[in-house]
């Protein structure tokens, strides 16, 4: 009791000192509306070149933030910051509707973030389909894994759609704000002055080279980013490629569910993207795929893949191959390894990527936007680049629970779900299927992680090793043998070899002990 009293007295004295030292020097905050907006000091036109280059200078009305790229991350961020009263300029290479074969499944956790950002109506009027879970297929057997949505509003579920339609809806919503300007142009470089990013150099649709300036430049130019190298240490891995097809007018075995076939050599995905279309993604390990142009791909799909497709989808799959609209895309993975740089920030796939098997990319991006919005909200002035950079270092720690959980699960599941000649890996794959088939907590736990509803890295590790131990138990019962014990030991070793390198790349301290990272407690500087 005496210690508690002494602690309270000490805290009171410390609080009085802090208030006396810093409280009186704080200035009143300005109104956040676009008219009397944040960063009023930047409203004057910048007409000087940072690097002295012989390039025309764009004459803007003074922006708080430049966003490079208007994909899922860029468009959502533009609307979010615009709603906060920031003056936002978005420069996007191509403002026509994108046509991609990924970014089509939004997990329930991502949909909740969409609601939090006020963007939930962007999945309306695009023929989006509700998704309630997954169906897992292996060796002719199937198990259904439902999202644990009992505690949520009836509208909460996953959503699947045409990626381009979703992006266009978000672009339209962002552009509807008077303080957000969308412009078509290709950003060629970041403008740097004494280590601080001051803006961007870009080429307009007509070919004119211009410069634009703002206190904060946020790079969201996607997985093919040509600007990330100066802002992070990009270690891009390409474990496989997706081959994309669209199946028409067919019924999935489990309506409103994503379908994952544990095929040989690696998984096959099916999920609805409209009321009449089903996306098929065939994973092909490695960086080389059979040629589409000379017919090798069609032959591969018909002879290797088609026999492993559920019989309800077989005919539609063959028809899609025969129509010939076969798309391919490399699957990239890149852990977040930022170089905190005054005046600039990386977000979206330009910053962090994971294997798209689990459809977690958009959920991570939207979650990051919520974190960044909350960090920027108390700031009236973004002009002190070095102080802002120091403050925003907390972003990299605060995003970890969601991002690291989804990233680690994506990488681990891809390796577990892919076939292997190694007996221990085969046992791990079978154990995973059987473990999830048990239902109850054994399926709800992993599915809540995958869906972004339970972003807890420790829970992920517990379930992952529970699968491994379950696999060992299957081997040792009813009677263990030296061979089975040896396979069991190798199974645990294989599981460790899968998950620990991914965790190391994500950062053990930030992932499991974020509260021990100094940046976690960083507060905005007082003015």
């Amino acid at each position: 009791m005496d210690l508690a009293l002494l602690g309270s007295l000490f805290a009171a004295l410390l609080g009085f000192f802090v208030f006396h030292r810093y409280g009186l020097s704080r200035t009143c905050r300005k109104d956040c509306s676009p008219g009397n907006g944040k960063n009023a000091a930047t409203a004057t036109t910048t007409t000087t070149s940072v690097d002295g280059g012989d390039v025309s200078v764009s004459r803007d009305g003074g922006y708080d933030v430049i966003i490079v790229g208007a994909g899922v991350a860029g468009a959502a961020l533009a609307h979010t910051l615009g709603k906060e009263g920031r003056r936002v300029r978005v420069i996007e290479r191509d403002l026509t509707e994108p046509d991609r074969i990924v970014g089509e499944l939004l997990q329930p956790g991502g949909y909740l973030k969409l609601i939090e950002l006020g963007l939930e109506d962007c999945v309306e009027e695009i023929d989006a389909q509700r998704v309630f879970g997954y169906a897992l297929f292996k060796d002719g057997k199937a198990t259904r894994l439902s999202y644990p949505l009992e505690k949520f509003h009836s509208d909460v579920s996953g959503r699947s759609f045409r990626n381009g339609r979703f992006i266009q809806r978000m672009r339209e919503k962002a552009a509807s704000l008077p303080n957000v300007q969308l412009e078509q142009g290709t950003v060629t470089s970041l403008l740097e002055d004494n280590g601080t990013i001051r803006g961007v150099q870009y080429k307009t649709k007509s070919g004119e080279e211009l410069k634009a300036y703002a206190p904060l430049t946020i790079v969201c130019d996607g997985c093919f980013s040509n600007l990330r190298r100066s802002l992070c240490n990009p270690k891009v891995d390409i474990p496989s490629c997706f081959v994309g097809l669209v199946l028409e007018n067919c019924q999935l075995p489990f309506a409103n569910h994503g379908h994952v076939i544990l095929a040989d050599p690696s998984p096959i995905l099916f999920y609805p993207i409209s009321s009449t279309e089903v996306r098929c993604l065939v994973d092909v390990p490695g960086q080389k795929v059979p040629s589409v142009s000379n017919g090798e791909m069609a032959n591969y799909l018909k002879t290797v893949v088609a026999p492993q497709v559920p019989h309800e989808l077989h005919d539609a799959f063959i028809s899609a191959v025969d129509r010939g609209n076969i798309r391919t895309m490399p699957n990239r993975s890149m852990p977040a390894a930022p170089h905190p740089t005054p005046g600039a920030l990386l977000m979206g796939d330009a910053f962090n990527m994971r294997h798209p098997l689990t459809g977690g990319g958009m959920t991570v991006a939207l979650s990051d936007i919520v974190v960044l919005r909350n960090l920027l909200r108390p700031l009236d002035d973004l002009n002190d680049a070095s102080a802002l950079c120091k403050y925003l270092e907390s972003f990299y720690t605060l995003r970890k629970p969601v991002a690291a959980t989804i990233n680690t699960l994506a990488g681990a599941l891809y390796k577990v779900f892919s076939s292997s000649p190694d007996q221990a890996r085969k046992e791990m794959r079978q154990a995973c299927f059987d473990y999830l088939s048990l239902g109850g907590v054994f399926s709800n736990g992993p599915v809540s992680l995958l869906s972004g509803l339970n972003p807890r890295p420790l829970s992920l590790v517990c379930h992952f090793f529970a699968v491994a131990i379950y696999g060992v138990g299957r081997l040792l019962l009813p009677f263990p043998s030296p061979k089975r014990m040896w396979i069991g030991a190798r199974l645990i070793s294989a599981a460790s070899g899968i998950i620990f390198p991914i965790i190391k790349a994500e950062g053990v301290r930030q992932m499991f002990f974020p509260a021990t990272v100094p940046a976690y407690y960083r507060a905005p500087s007082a003015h």
Side-chain angles (χ1 to χ4, degrees):
M1 194 69 179
D2 293 339
L3 287 174
L5 185 61
L6 186 63
S8 299
L9 182 62
F10 178 75
L13 289 171
L14 183 63
F16 176 78
F17 172 76
V18 170
F19 174 77
H20 189 74
R21 172 71 178 82
Y22 297 107
L24 298 177
S25 64
R26 291 182 181 270
T27 58
C28 296
R29 300 202 180 279
K30 301 170 187 176
D31 179 43
C32 294
S33 65
N36 186 23
K38 303 175 180 181
N39 270 10
T42 63
T44 57
T45 303
T46 306
T47 56
T48 58
S49 169
V50 170
D51 57 5
D54 188 21
V55 179
S56 300
V57 178
S58 65
R59 298 179 179 276
D60 53 48
Y63 289 89
D64 301 319
V65 181
I66 292 172
I67 297 175
V68 181
V72 171
L77 182 62
H79 178 266
T80 300
L81 296 183
K83 255 194 355 176
E84 293 287 301
R86 307 284 181 190
R87 289 158 298 174
V88 181
R89 182 173 189 169
V90 186
I91 303 173
E92 161 60 35
R93 182 180 58 83
D94 186 356
L95 286 172
T96 60
E97 183 173 310
D99 183 15
R100 303 182 67 207
I101 64 171
V102 292
E104 297 174 318
L105 177 61
L106 181 66
Q107 298 288 358
Y111 182 71
L112 288 173
K113 296 299 178 184
L114 213 59
I115 293 172
E116 200 171 340
L117 295 170
L119 290 166
E120 67 273 20
D121 58 344
C122 291
V123 296
E124 297 172 4
E125 300 176 10
I126 59 172
D127 200 15
Q129 303 299 297
R130 300 188 70 183
V131 178
F132 298 109
Y134 282 89
L136 204 57
F137 293 75
K138 186 178 186 296
D139 300 330
K141 297 179 180 179
T143 186
R144 180 162 60 178
L145 311 171
S146 297
Y147 293 136
L149 300 172
E150 298 81 6
K151 297 179 181 178
F152 297 95
H153 187 272
S154 60
D155 186 52
V156 176
S157 66
R159 293 291 195 281
S160 54
F161 38 69
R162 284 278 190 174
N163 172 269
R165 295 173 185 171
F166 179 55
I167 287 176
Q168 289 302 89
R169 285 280 286 160
M170 287 203 293
R171 288 174 176 174
E172 290 166 8
K173 184 137 186 174
S176 70
L177 297 175
N179 50 320
V180 176
Q181 177 189 334
L182 263 70
E183 180 179 355
Q184 185 160 306
T186 302
V187 174
T188 54
S189 64
L190 301 173
L191 299 177
E192 184 180 339
D193 178 26
N194 294 325
T196 297
I197 303 302
R198 301 296 185 187
V200 299
Q201 182 170 309
Y202 69 104
K203 187 177 288 187
T204 67
K205 190 176 180 181
S206 62
E208 184 182 7
E209 292 212 9
L210 299 174
K211 293 178 181 178
Y213 298 89
L216 181 61
T217 299
I218 304 178
V219 176
C220 307
D221 58 343
C223 61
F224 301 104
S225 173
N226 63 342
L227 302 175
R228 68 160 71 101
R229 193 162 296 279
S230 61
L231 301 176
C232 74
N233 181 25
K235 295 180 180 177
V236 181
D237 181 36
I238 304 179
S240 67
C241 297
F242 267 157
V243 178
L245 299 164
V246 174
L247 281 57
E248 297 179 348
N249 300 310
C250 63
Q251 297 296 318
L252 287 164
F254 295 87
N256 299 102
H257 282 67
H259 291 54
V260 183
I261 291 82
L262 303 190
D264 185 7
S266 51
I268 306 167
L269 307 180
F270 294 94
Y271 52 88
I273 54 173
S274 75
S275 54
T276 60
E277 298 169 306
V278 170
R279 170 68 71 194
C280 171
L281 293 174
V282 178
D283 187 84
V284 179
Q287 298 184 26
K288 291 184 178 180
V289 297
S291 171
V292 175
S293 59
N294 66 9
E296 285 180 9
M297 178 64 78
N299 183 61
Y300 175 82
L301 294 173
K302 287 183 176 181
T303 59
V304 176
V305 178
Q308 303 182 76
V309 170
H311 65 88
E312 299 95 330
L313 301 172
H314 183 272
D315 291 348
F317 179 83
I318 296 296
S319 296
V321 175
D322 288 338
R323 281 197 302 274
N325 187 19
I326 302 171
R327 307 273 299 281
T328 63
M329 177 178 174
N331 292 325
R332 289 172 163 78
S333 176
M334 186 184 79
H339 298 318
T341 305
L345 195 69
L346 270 174
M347 292 195 75
D349 282 352
F351 172 50
N352 182 205
M353 295 179 282
R354 77 290 311 149
H355 196 286
L357 172 70
T358 56
M362 291 189 290
T363 299
V364 172
L366 294 170
S367 175
D368 284 355
I369 290 168
V370 170
V371 172
L372 182 63
R373 177 200 66 183
N374 294 342
L375 285 172
L376 292 179
R377 183 169 274 171
L379 303 182
D380 290 328
D381 192 346
L382 304 180
N383 281 293
D384 189 340
S386 59
L388 180 63
C389 178
K390 195 77 173 171
Y391 170 58
L392 289 181
E393 284 181 19
S394 59
F395 167 75
Y396 304 117
T397 302
L398 294 171
R399 69 180 293 273
K400 273 295 175 182
V402 174
T405 301
I406 291 173
N407 293 347
T408 304
L409 186 63
L413 274 187
Y414 177 69
K415 291 185 177 180
V416 171
F417 282 177
S418 297
S419 66
S420 170
D422 180 65
Q423 186 62 35
R425 288 283 297 274
K426 286 181 180 179
E427 291 291 342
M428 183 74 179
R429 192 187 199 204
Q430 186 64 49
C432 188
F433 181 83
D434 292 343
Y435 181 89
L436 293 170
S437 299
L438 293 172
V441 67
F442 305 105
S443 63
N444 284 347
V447 172
S448 66
L449 291 164
L450 182 150
S451 62
L453 296 172
N454 179 30
R456 296 179 183 173
L458 189 58
S459 178
L460 165 61
V461 174
C462 288
H463 277 288
F464 189 80
F465 279 103
V467 169
I469 293 167
Y470 177 75
V472 173
R474 289 172 65 256
L475 284 167
L476 300 184
L477 295 174
F479 302 108
S481 67
K483 180 181 179 182
R484 285 172 169 262
M485 291 173 67
W486 173 241
I487 294 173
R490 287 176 49 227
L491 192 158
I492 296 293
S493 175
S496 302
I498 287 172
I499 199 166
F500 287 146
I502 302 172
I503 290 173
K504 183 181 178 183
E506 288 293 325
V508 175
R509 187 181 179 190
Q510 284 187 318
M511 189 169 173
F512 294 102
F513 311 105
T516 69
V517 179
Y520 186 81
Y521 301 99
R522 199 149 285 160
S525 58
H527 294 285

